[in-house]
Amino acid sequence: MSEETMKYDESDQALPDSLQEPEPYKPMFDASVRTAIYVACTILGVILAVAAPVAIAAHAPEWATILLSAMAGAIPTVAAAFGVAYNPSRTN
């Protein structure tokens, strides 16, 4: 690589002092709704994580095993869709 290709002009870049403070994050759902979803998803996740291997061991129909496994995998996505994440320093 030539030195000419490694040069770039950063004069149009904002300096750190001139950047605006970002707006504070405001969750779409209330804290009580997020907590309820988190608790429900945790309970369902544990139940389905146990039910899927039990269905395999009990020689359940293939469709039931696939359904239980898919639901166990979808539970964290449902929680994430509501903006739920474990954060012990959450203030609201």
Side-chain angles (χ1 to χ4, degrees), residues 2-46:
S2 71
E3 200 169 308
E4 193 63 34
T5 58
M6 295 179 68
K7 291 182 180 178
Y8 59 92
D9 182 21
E10 60 183 39
S11 62
D12 63 338
Q13 300 295 318
L15 297 173
D17 296 344
S18 65
L19 296 175
Q20 295 178 356
E21 287 291 320
E23 292 183 27
Y25 173 71
K26 285 186 116 175
M28 179 175 250
F29 297 97
D30 185 58
S32 59
V33 172
R34 293 191 319 263
T35 301
I37 295 295
Y38 180 72
V39 170
C41 286
T42 300
I43 292 169
L44 283 172
V46 169

Side-chain angles (χ1 to χ4, degrees), residues 41-81:
C41 286
T42 300
I43 292 169
L44 283 172
V46 169
I47 290 170
L48 289 169
V50 170
V54 167
I56 293 170
H59 304 291
E62 186 176 336
W63 65 266
T65 305
I66 292 171
L67 181 64
L68 288 170
S69 299
M71 288 173 56
I75 292 297
T77 305
V78 171

